[in-house]
Amino acid sequence: MKYAPVDLLIKEFCHKWAVYILLLPLALLLTFSPVYGQRNPNILLIMTDDQGWWDLGVHGNDIISTPVLDELSRESINFSHYYAAPVCSPTRAGMMTGRYHLRTGLYNTRFGGDMIDPEEITIAELLKTKSYTTGLFGKWHLGKYYDYQPNQQGFDEFFGHYHGHIEEYDYPDQLVHNGKPVEARKYVTDLFTDAAMDFIEENREKPFFCYLAYNAPHSPFVVGTSHGRQKRGDALVKKYIDQGLSMKNAQIYAMVEIIDFNMKRLLDHLEALDLEDNTIVIFASDNGGVSSHFRAGLRGNKGNVYEGGVRSPLMVRWPAQLKKKNVTVDAMVSHVDLLPTLCDIVDIPIPTDRKIDGKSFLHLLKDTQGESAHEYVYHHWDRYFPNPYNTWAVFDGRYKLLNNPTPWPKNPVEQDEPFGELYDLKADPGEQNNIARAHPEIVKRLRKAFVDYYDDVTAGREYQPAPIPIGNPRENPVEIQPSWGKISGDSIQYTFLGYDWDSVDSWQKKGEHIDWNLNVIQSGKYQVSISYGCSIKNAGGTIRISVNDEFLDFKVPATPSGDVFTDVMLGEIDIEKGGKVLRAEVEKPSGGEVVKLNRVWLELMD
Ligand SMILES: [Ca+2]
C-alpha cells in the first residue's frame, strides 16, 4: 500500500478546491434562483477528428454516405462559418477552456506542448458546479500525465487516449479507463460509441455532459480491413474505390461512414431512453479536412489557415428549446465559444479571474440570424514554438488576412507596403484573388488586430514542455516518451511513428544525449526500465541513464531486429525531490546506431 505524501495532498487540495471554493457562492446563488426545479438539459458533444467541412453529404458531397449526419443537420441549427483551429489540440484547448490555446500553455500537438495548465478551468469543471455528471469518450490530447488528465480536469469518467491519435483502430492497445490501461477488443469508433451509450443510460436520471471525441477519420487511415475478419471495412473501402477514389480518400470516406453508422446507434439510444427532447446534441469536427476528392469549393487543408483548414461543420439540436430547424446561420462563430454558450444555457457565470475569448452564441441559436458576437476570429499555428511570422489569419466576417510561412518584415505593423494575402470571402469564398495591394487600409487594420491579439494571448508566457511529474502514487510508474525530451548531438534524431512508437535514434558518438525535465514529487528509489530496439550489427554499445549524479549503464544487446522494441529493467537509482533532469546518453559507441530508445519508465519503489 502506498500513500500520498501529506504535502502533495495539501497542494492538490488547495489547487483543485480553490476553483470550487471560488465557485461555491455561485452554486448557492443558483440553487435559489427562479430556475430551480427545472431540469437542466443534457449535453452530448460529438467531435470528429480531421473530418473536413466537405466530408458530409449535406455539404454537397454526393459520394460520401452520411445519411444520419445529414438528417441530424436537417433537425439542427447549422453554422456556415464555424471555425476550429487548424490542428487538433489547439481546438480542444479552446473548446474546453473558452480561451485561445496560447493562453492555456498549449502550443503544439506533441513535443510536450500538447497540454493545458492544470489551473485552467474546463467546461466540464464548470458544469460540475451545476451537478452535471461528466464523461469523455475518445481523444483528449490536452495532457498525458497526472494533473493534466481528463479525470483531474473535470471528467468523472474517461475512456480513451491522451495522445493525438492511436495506431490501432481495431483491437486498440493504447486506451485507458480512468487512468488505467485497458485491453480493448473492437473497432475503436464502435467502442467509444458503446461507452458513451452506457454512460448516457447510466446517468439518464440526472443532467449529464457526454463528450464523444472520435479519433476517426484521423490517420492512420485504418478501416478494419484485411485478414478476413474485417469484412465491413473491406466492403466500405471497395465501394469508394469503385467510384474512382484513391485508397486514402476511400479509407477516409469509409471511416466517416462508420462514424455515421455509430451516430445512428447513439441518436436512436437517446430517443429510446426518452432523452431526445431535452438533450443538446452538438456535432463538430476539430479542424479542416485531409481528404481531397471533393473540396466544396474551399481552398486549403488541415494545418493551414485557408477556409479548408479551419472551417468545420457545426450542428446544434435541442428540440425542447430550439424550435426552428434545418436552418443555417452565417454569422461567424468560433470553437472558443462553446464554453460561454453552454454556460449561458445552463446559467453558469463564466470565470472572471482570467480572460475568456469565447462569446455566447445562444442569441444565434434562438433567432437563427443576427450578428456575430466577435469583431474578429483568429487563427495561429506553428509546429514548434509560437511565432507571429508563421501561419496565421484574422477574419472580420468579410475580409480575411492570412500569412503563410514565408518571410515577413520584422515589424509588420510599421511596414508600409501591403503584404500577406487578403481575401474578400463574400465575393471570393474560394480564396483565389489576393486583394492585399488594392486595400492597404484593410490589410493594416487586420494586421494590427492580429498583432494585438498575439501580444495579448502570449503575454507573460514561456512555452516549453511542462516538467514530467514522477513519484505521484496515483501514477506510478510514469512512462516517458521521446518527444517530450530535448536532443543534443551531431547525429541523434527523433523518429515519429505515432506517439507510442516514437524513438530517439541514429546516435553514435559518446555524449550524444536526450534530456527530460522532471518534477520529482518525492525522494526515493526509482526503478528504471526502458523499451528499445537494436540491430545485430549495432549491438554492444553502452547507454547511460542518469538523474544528476546517479546513473545506470546498459550494454545494449540486439533485439530481433532494430525496429522491434523490447522492454528491459535496468535497476534502481536514488532521485531527490525537486526539479531534476533525466538524461539518456551514449556512453560507449558501437560503431553504428547505438540504440533506438522508445521510452523510459521511472517507478517509485516502496
Ligand atoms: Ca484533428
Side-chain angles (χ1 to χ4, degrees), residues 33-44:
S33 71
V35 297
Y36 178 71
Q38 286 179 14
R39 162 96 184 247
N40 276 320
N42 306 307
I43 300 161
L44 172 54

Side-chain angles (χ1 to χ4, degrees), residues 298-361:
L298 299 184
R299 182 175 179 180
N301 286 90
K302 173 185 180 180
N304 64 46
V305 289
Y306 293 108
E307 290 293 282
V310 292
R311 199 190 290 182
S312 155
L314 175 65
M315 310 171 189
V316 182
R317 185 188 82 176
W318 184 14
Q321 293 293 331
L322 304 177
K323 296 302 179 190
K324 289 186 189 167
K325 57 186 185 179
N326 198 18
V327 290
T328 299
V329 176
D330 291 325
M332 61 179 179
V333 293
S334 164
H335 61 289
V336 292
D337 298 339
L338 178 83
L339 179 145
T341 303
L342 291 178
C343 285
D344 202 359
I345 289 170
V346 185
D347 207 9
I348 300 170
I350 63 172
T352 54
D353 65 339
R354 60 199 67 204
K355 177 82 184 283
I356 301 291
D357 296 295
K359 300 188 187 297
S360 170
F361 58 78

Side-chain angles (χ1 to χ4, degrees), residues 47 114 117 194 224 350 405 444 462 472 495 501 513:
M47 191 156 73
D114 50 346
D117 290 342
D194 290 347
I350 63 172
K444 191 170 182 181
E462 275 186 48
N472 183 336
T495 294
W501 311 111
H513 63 266

